[in-house]
Amino acid sequence: QKYLTMEDMKIISDMIIPAAWYPLDTFRRAGNAVFELFGESDPEAAKQWGREMVERIPDQMFKSFFDKQDPQKGVMNYVNVNARLLDFMRIRAAELSERSVTIAFHGEPAVLAAFPELPLLALIIAGAAERVAIKNGATAAESRLAPHSRQGLAAVEVSWK
């Protein structure tokens, strides 16, 4: 009751369909609850959440980022899919080197101010991008909040070997 509204409880008690639309506020409250209760507000836990999400996606479901042996292309495609899903902000990936990308999250100030969970979302996507790189041939991957991240704007750097 501390985290979710009655409407949220109704939504999550039904079968969750990955391709269905759900209210952003429900997504935010549920994400914050999971992060606080199970992740103990640990940034590494948020990244692990993202890694595990990718492991649960059947490879054939998203061939655009799993069927290549090119970590960079896989990560870039993964970010592009998220950019379409999270259309209330802009998410862009840019190549830093042949073994790294930066993923930036930005949008209108009013939208970002209403979304204080942005660093959490950035870490979840960073963890997922690590796993996508590995599923595309990288032997190891890591990520971190980029040094220029600040309130209302987040960026993560993902690199691999």
Side-chain angles (χ1 to χ4, degrees):
Q1 300 296 343
K2 175 181 174 184
Y3 300 100
L4 303 174
T5 67
M6 292 304 289
E7 181 64 24
D8 296 337
M9 294 299 288
K10 182 179 180 303
I11 289 169
I12 66 171
S13 66
D14 289 337
M15 184 189 313
I16 302 295
I17 301 169
W21 179 88
Y22 297 97
L24 176 60
D25 287 336
T26 298
F27 170 76
R28 290 169 54 185
R29 286 188 291 269
N32 283 332
V34 168
F35 186 55
E36 187 174 317
L37 295 170
F38 301 106
E40 300 172 359
S41 300
D42 175 9
E44 189 56 36
K47 291 195 292 186
Q48 185 60 31
W49 185 4
R51 292 180 199 115
E52 290 175 13
M53 283 182 357
V54 170
E55 288 302 320
R56 290 188 179 109
I57 298 171
D59 289 1
Q60 65 274 22
M61 194 172 187
F62 292 105
K63 286 187 176 192
S64 68
F65 53 87
F66 286 158
D67 69 348
K68 299 167 181 67
Q69 286 302 305
D70 181 343
Q72 185 121 47
K73 191 174 282 187
V75 169
M76 298 292 267
N77 287 342
Y78 174 76
V79 171
N80 288 336
V81 166
N82 274 280
R84 286 190 292 269
L85 293 174
L86 302 169
D87 62 355
F88 58 92
M89 71 175 76
R90 289 184 299 283
I91 304 173
R92 300 285 184 262
E95 182 178 329
L96 290 173
S97 73
E98 71 178 37
R99 296 187 187 272
S100 65
V101 298
T102 186
I103 304 169
F105 303 79
H106 46 92
E108 299 300 320
V111 171
L112 294 176
F115 196 68
E117 301 85 357
L118 183 56
L120 169 61
L121 178 63
L123 289 168
I124 292 169
I125 290 176
E130 290 174 15
R131 188 64 77 221
V132 168
I134 289 170
K135 289 184 81 130
N136 279 282
T139 57
E142 63 184 17
S143 61
R144 66 184 181 95
L145 279 174
H148 56 281
S149 293
R150 62 182 189 277
Q151 185 69 22
L153 174 71
V156 291
E157 295 174 358
V158 182
S159 59
W160 54 86
K161 295 178 184 179

